[in-house]
Amino acid sequence: MSQPNAVLFDELGPRGRRRVRTLTVVSAVVLVLVLVLAVVRLAQNGQFAYDLWAPLVDPTTEEFPLVWQRLGRGLLWTLAVAAVAMAGSLVIGVGIAVARLSLGRYGRLPLVAVVELFRGLPVVVTILYVSIALPVLGVDLSDNWFLAIGLIVYNCVVISEIVRAGVLAVPHGQVEAGQAVGLRPSQVMRSIQLPQAFRSMLPAIISQLVVILKDTALGAVVLNGVTELTRQGQQLRNFFDNALQTFFVVAVIYVVVNILLGKAAEVLERRLSRSRTASASAVAEDEESVRV
């Protein structure tokens, strides 16, 4: 029999729980064996040699300060490009979503075409196309700007779809209530629909912002002049001939930054939830005082 808290599936019985525990143990053992095998093979190939790791982890070496200076500069450029891409994607994405919802059936067709076009392109192709098309049009920028613009072009349409879905999920009764008190459609959108859409779609938006941060690494694949973290790692790899070690450290940096971004998103979401709860409580108290 289903338990009250079982939403998507029935509660497992004794046999099902035993099967899950068995599969969990087997999977953990297989994973540990694979990791041990990988460590052994790496050791046999000399990948744990001190000379390969020393420039990255030993502060007493002469190269250590220079290596982390390069990695730090790359991280700053990564954060700067990601911040520009995030801000541009949010602003343009919200604008596209609002325009698409506000225009008529035929007036929104150009926007629909643009959204479907850039959603269908791989982000690497978008970055490469921006870096080729803008110079042809007479726009002379650095590769870091081409990377930021390419990320904006791709991610703004994705964010526009997230925001549009959030706006459409707002109960229509609230829209009708806003119109009943004399609000114009633009005021209803700005004061009622968008705030609620952002609250409900915040996890999806944050996930897309994390994707933007990770996608900055694609600049090192298609652009030679970028100075972000992955490009710095490539240059260090070429100099020290320690690709596995260098990119292990680069990967750890990306993971730490993304974890911090996720924690910041959790804090923001909790604050928004508390403010929403406090507002609902205040409204309830006002209504109770009016009835009294």
Side-chain angles (χ1 to χ4, degrees):
M1 184 175 180
S2 299
Q3 299 296 327
N5 60 349
V7 178
L8 298 180
F9 50 86
D10 290 339
E11 187 73 19
L12 293 175
R15 182 179 299 177
R17 288 195 293 269
R18 285 197 300 270
R19 187 181 298 115
V20 170
R21 284 196 294 267
T22 301
L23 292 175
T24 301
V25 172
V26 171
S27 301
V29 170
V30 171
L31 179 60
V32 170
L33 291 176
V34 170
L35 290 176
V36 170
L37 178 61
V39 170
V40 171
R41 293 301 300 269
L42 290 173
Q44 291 175 348
N45 292 329
Q47 294 299 321
F48 293 112
Y50 172 79
D51 293 341
L52 297 176
W53 289 93
L56 297 163
V57 299
D58 188 355
T60 63
T61 60
E62 182 180 356
E63 299 88 354
F64 182 85
L66 299 177
V67 166
W68 281 97
Q69 182 181 3
R70 294 289 296 272
L71 291 177
R73 184 165 65 246
L75 177 59
L76 289 177
W77 273 109
T78 293
L79 295 176
V81 171
V84 172
M86 290 175 184
S89 299
L90 282 172
V91 172
I92 299 175
V94 172
I96 293 174
V98 172
R100 185 172 175 180
L101 291 167
S102 302
L103 294 174
R105 181 178 180 181
Y106 298 104
R108 69 169 69 105
L109 288 179
L111 285 177
V112 174
V114 170
V115 169
E116 295 303 323
L117 171 63
F118 288 111
R119 282 180 64 194
L121 288 176
V123 62
V124 174
V125 174
T126 304
I127 295 170
L128 183 60
Y129 189 80
V130 166
S131 67
I132 295 173
L134 289 184
V136 172
L137 297 173
V139 180
D140 187 15
L141 297 171
S142 67
D143 282 352
N144 288 321
W145 276 107
F146 289 145
L147 174 59
I149 294 172
L151 292 175
I152 290 172
V153 170
Y154 176 81
N155 288 281
C156 71
V157 297
V158 178
I159 290 178
S160 74
E161 289 298 279
I162 295 174
V163 174
R164 187 173 71 91
V167 170
L168 293 176
V170 175
H172 193 65
Q174 299 191 26
V175 177
E176 294 175 344
Q179 294 172 344
V181 298
L183 295 179
R184 296 190 300 272
S186 60
Q187 293 175 320
V188 172
M189 176 68 71
R190 185 174 63 252
S191 302
I192 298 176
Q193 293 175 287
L194 282 180
Q196 295 188 58
F198 274 116
R199 292 191 187 101
S200 62
M201 303 304 294
L202 184 61
I205 292 175
I206 295 299
S207 297
Q208 193 61 34
L209 296 182
V210 172
V211 170
I212 292 175
L213 178 62
K214 293 189 293 186
D215 283 348
T216 56
L218 296 174
V221 178
V222 295
L223 302 173
N224 294 323
V226 293
T227 53
E228 47 77 51
L229 183 59
T230 303
R231 172 62 70 184
Q232 300 293 344
Q234 287 179 339
Q235 294 174 350
L236 292 172
R237 180 274 312 269
N238 293 335
F239 184 80
F240 293 109
D241 194 21
N242 59 348
L244 188 146
Q245 294 76 13
T246 297
F247 283 110
F248 176 81
V249 172
V250 170
V252 169
I253 294 174
Y254 275 115
V255 170
V256 170
V257 172
N258 285 322
I259 289 175
L260 293 176
L261 182 59
K263 294 297 182 183
E266 291 177 3
V267 171
L268 177 61
E269 188 172 5
R270 284 198 298 269
R271 289 185 177 180
L272 289 175
S273 298
R274 284 199 299 267
S275 64
R276 185 165 61 249
T277 303
S279 299
S281 300
V283 170
E285 291 177 359
D286 291 342
E287 291 177 351
E288 183 65 25
S289 64
V290 170
R291 284 196 296 268
V292 173

